[in-house]
Amino acid sequence: MDNPLTHSEVTVIGGGMIGAATALGLAQAGFRVTVAELQAPAPFDAQSRPDVRISAISRASAELLESLGVWERVRAMRCVPYRTLETYEEPGSEVTFTAESLGLPELGYMVENPVLQRALWEMVTAHELITCLCPARLQSMTMQSGEWLLTFDNGDVINTRLIIGADGAKSQVRTLAGIGSRGWQ
């Protein structure tokens, strides 16, 4: 499959929550962005059971999503406000926050990850400065004349000034860049 795209100012590898939000913010700032993603999120089905994979979205994060034009899409699908937050690690180290004590209507929202991914994906695929490669998996990346040459498993080749690796815990970008990581149980 030949893709006419040969240059992108920024290429984001991974179109999940972080990659899509980053791409959308960059495009809204005027950058030409390419997003490479293995699989588009499934369409939202209001009749489906809520997904157990959720994120607690703070008011500040909801405001960021609103500035990106995504928040109304999330609210139109499914989210639930939370008004109390308790944190604890050891006995006697509990801290409780309430929206009421802070004079707020809510502290944030519980949002199913697939809902947030879908809302972001819809905005990303509709933006005129964003090109989506999907399905596409990064195969190689090499520096040539001050830009990165990226090749993908679908045959696409892109020159880009900046690569953003938002491709998860087993990041292909990190592996190809030779960036190590340490982990423990």
Side-chain angles (χ1 to χ4, degrees):
M1 170 172 160
D2 291 324
N3 187 333
L5 177 67
T6 58
H7 187 269
S8 181
E9 290 179 276
V10 180
T11 300
V12 179
I13 308 299
M17 293 184 288
I18 301 302
T22 300
L24 193 54
L26 287 167
Q28 289 177 359
F31 291 92
R32 292 200 170 276
V33 181
T34 298
V35 175
E37 172 57 45
L38 292 173
Q39 180 178 349
F44 176 70
D45 177 5
Q47 303 305 312
S48 67
R49 295 178 56 90
D51 197 294
V52 296
R53 297 168 298 155
I54 61 170
S55 293
I57 303 296
S58 69
R59 287 179 56 84
S61 293
E63 289 169 6
L64 171 67
L65 293 168
E66 189 170 352
S67 75
L68 293 174
V70 174
W71 189 240
E72 284 307 312
R73 289 177 186 259
V74 170
R75 290 184 64 122
M77 288 185 233
R78 196 162 46 210
C79 68
V80 177
Y82 64 89
R83 295 178 177 86
T84 302
L85 178 65
E86 295 182 13
T87 63
Y88 53 90
E89 188 170 333
E90 297 178 11
S93 65
E94 300 88 9
V95 177
T96 301
F97 300 93
T98 65
E100 182 181 17
S101 69
L102 298 171
L104 300 171
E106 70 278 318
L107 293 175
Y109 295 84
M110 302 305 285
V111 180
E112 298 163 61
N113 291 358
V115 165
L116 185 50
Q117 289 170 333
R118 184 66 202 181
L120 283 159
W121 187 253
E122 288 173 3
M123 293 295 293
V124 162
T125 56
H127 201 287
E128 64 185 14
L129 292 179
I130 300 176
T131 300
C132 293
L133 304 179
C134 184
R137 179 175 175 80
L138 181 64
Q139 296 274 277
S140 68
M141 51 188 246
T142 55
M143 179 61 85
Q144 292 185 347
S145 303
E147 290 196 334
W148 289 97
L149 178 68
L150 308 178
T151 59
F152 296 87
D153 64 351
N154 63 1
D156 288 327
V157 179
I158 298 174
N159 284 347
T160 190
R161 292 174 49 201
L162 177 67
I163 304 167
I164 296 175
D167 52 339
K170 297 179 182 177
S171 172
Q172 186 71 2
V173 172
R174 185 178 65 231
T175 299
L176 292 172
I179 299 170
S181 67
R182 290 177 63 173
W184 54 89
Q185 292 291 356

